[in-house]
Amino acid sequence: MHLDPFELHRPETIAETLALAGRLAPAFDYLAGGTDLLPNYKMHLNVRPHLIALDRVSELQEYTLDRIGAMVRLADLDRDPEIGRHYPALAEAVHGIATPLVRASGTVGGNLLVETRCFFFNQSYFWRASLGFCLKADGDRCHVVPQKEKCYATFSGDLAPSLMVLGASVEIAGPDGVRTIPLDAMYEADGDGIRRVRLRPGELVVAVHLPPAAQHLRSTYRKLRARPSYDFPELGVAVSLRRDGDRLAALDVAVGGLETYPRRFPAITEPALGQGLDPERIGALAQAIQAAVRPVHNTAYPPDYRKRMTGVFVRRALTDLWDRRGAS
Ligand SMILES: Cc1cc2nc3c(=O)[nH]c(=O)nc-3n(C[C@H](O)[C@H](O)[C@H](O)COP(=O)(O)OP(=O)(O)OC[C@H]3O[C@@H](n4cnc5c(N)ncnc54)[C@H](O)[C@@H]3O)c2cc1C
Ligand code: SF4
């Protein structure tokens, strides 16, 4: 495997970055830590002739507890005790991403925009060529669900579910200015499964915002994977709640590693507000979320197992958070 030649551009401000993007679109990719993009390039997956590196754009590296720049490294979050104290789900998610080496280069923005994954996609060019490629790169059919003209590659980033249950929003800069949207609204839930985010051409993720209320939530992130030292999630479950006496004042659940996008379940969690959580209600919530998810067979573990483990993880997380002492 080798990298084909590309032209590297290294702007120093957001304004310069957007000007370059406007000139080069659609023949470029943004390059953050490169830990996802460059391995994909080596496998000749949707390679572009220009890369706009973001490492010199200091505005993207600004970091406070309520605004985390897109170029903040995962290792910086991992070693910050304030993250663990205020946002346990985020700390648990970051700590479980890849290896220390990958976390030293990998960034928050890159993790939120990590390419979706599939057995038939994350393979060398020759491997894919032997099957005639697939819809997501170079081909015209899907090997996972051949009856459909849609890609089912799995969203496998760990940060997104953990940030979603903390109420995160994302600041995006583009040719038309800056906009801030809820994090879950950035992901494409419908469509062809190939376009994975609702970013307009040239748009740049600038930062993640966390509301003050996030610091008063109990939260956790649970991850299922084959090798705990290294692998992408086969399932990631994030849960947050706030307890007001014997009643639920806030509840959010998000999952990743199952479908083409990370997903929340407001229609299931919101009716539970104002009530208490006993084992029966916890079981019903876990069962409803398990029933709602639709994994397909394109990662290491079978979909039925990942679906059942969704219910198990939600039940365990809700039980632990509801009983956790010393939190709101
Ligand atoms: C061995 C290995 C194990 C891994 N395990 C995990 C894991 O367990 N969990 C997990 O979540 N990930 C895992 N990853 C994937 C990856 O390393 C991380 O997701 C990492 O956070 C990606 O960040 P990056 O900065 O390297 O992104 P890059 O590779 O630089 O970019 C990823 C994508 O985001 C786009 N992009 C980056 N920044 C921006 C921005 N600011 N605005 C617009 N577009 C942008 C790029 O164009 C590219 O499409 C693993 C990778 C490896 C190599
Ligand atoms: S789900 Fe289908 S189209 Fe998508 S990457 Fe896998 S084989 Fe290709």
Side-chain angles (χ1 to χ4, degrees):
M1 288 193 288
H2 66 276
L3 273 177
D4 287 332
F6 53 78
E7 193 173 336
L8 184 66
H9 306 266
R10 302 189 79 186
E12 297 190 355
T13 64
I14 290 177
E16 279 175 39
T17 307
L18 294 177
L20 266 171
R23 185 159 64 76
L24 299 172
F28 82 94
D29 276 316
Y30 288 122
L31 176 69
T35 60
D36 187 52
L37 190 73
L38 295 181
N40 287 345
Y41 271 30
K42 286 185 181 172
M43 293 195 275
H44 300 277
L45 291 164
N46 300 326
V47 174
R48 307 260 168 85
H50 296 273
L51 286 184
I52 302 180
L54 303 175
D55 58 328
R56 290 187 179 168
V57 185
S58 55
E59 295 145 284
L60 300 178
Q61 289 162 18
E62 292 164 5
Y63 171 30
T64 62
L65 271 186
D66 50 16
R67 186 178 179 279
I68 304 173
M71 280 301 286
V72 170
R73 307 283 165 177
L74 300 176
D76 293 331
L77 296 185
D78 194 25
R79 69 168 76 93
D80 182 351
E82 294 297 306
I83 293 289
R85 191 169 309 136
H86 295 292
Y87 310 130
L90 178 58
E92 288 162 14
V94 168
H95 192 66
I97 294 172
T99 63
L101 205 58
V102 173
R103 293 197 293 272
S105 300
T107 63
V108 170
N111 192 275
L112 293 178
L113 296 168
V114 70
E115 187 57 84
T116 50
R117 298 180 66 78
C118 168
F119 275 152
F120 297 93
F121 178 71
N122 301 101
Q123 301 289 351
S124 70
Y125 185 85
F126 299 104
W127 194 102
R128 291 185 297 112
S130 71
L131 280 186
F133 302 106
C134 78
L135 276 175
K136 192 163 160 71
D138 308 311
D140 59 3
R141 73 191 116 143
C142 174
H143 304 293
V144 178
V145 188
Q147 320 74 299
K148 296 262 172 82
E149 287 196 358
K150 184 178 164 168
C151 170
Y152 292 84
T154 303
F155 178 83
S156 304
D158 284 299
L159 287 194
S162 73
L163 286 166
M164 280 179 179
V165 300
L166 298 174
S169 51
V170 64
E171 182 183 330
I172 297 164
D176 303 327
V178 177
R179 61 190 179 115
T180 300
I181 57 170
L183 177 57
D184 54 352
M186 184 173 77
Y187 294 99
E188 190 63 72
D190 308 310
D192 63 7
I194 295 174
R195 187 184 127 97
R196 63 195 195 286
V197 282
R198 294 182 178 134
L199 291 182
R200 300 170 194 146
E203 278 194 325
L204 174 73
V205 170
V206 173
V208 172
H209 293 249
L210 286 156
Q215 298 195 16
H216 304 288
L217 293 169
R218 303 177 182 189
S219 68
T220 186
Y221 180 73
R222 312 283 164 104
K223 176 170 177 174
L224 176 72
R225 55 178 162 175
R227 292 164 295 186
S229 59
Y230 173 88
D231 274 323
F232 283 86
E234 290 286 325
L235 160 68
V237 170
V239 179
S240 72
L241 64 83
R242 190 160 57 79
R243 187 172 168 166
D244 181 9
D246 284 337
R247 290 164 191 273
L248 264 181
L251 175 65
D252 211 338
V253 178
V255 302
L258 293 177
E259 300 177 51
T260 57
Y261 64 104
R263 183 168 169 196
R264 291 175 59 241
F265 304 88
I268 296 172
T269 54
E270 282 170 11
L273 297 181
Q275 305 175 29
L277 280 188
D278 56 21
E280 199 179 331
R281 188 160 286 130
I282 287 175
L285 284 166
Q287 187 56 43
I289 288 168
Q290 173 178 324
V293 298
R294 303 260 179 280
V296 297
H297 201 186
N298 62 358
T299 66
Y301 287 166
D304 282 358
Y305 177 59
R306 286 150 67 212
K307 191 174 171 68
R308 272 187 287 124
M309 287 306 289
T310 306
V312 172
F313 277 22
V314 172
R315 179 169 48 74
R316 287 179 186 163
L318 284 172
T319 305
D320 290 353
L321 291 180
W322 182 250
D323 293 336
R324 189 175 285 179
R325 290 173 191 280
S328 44

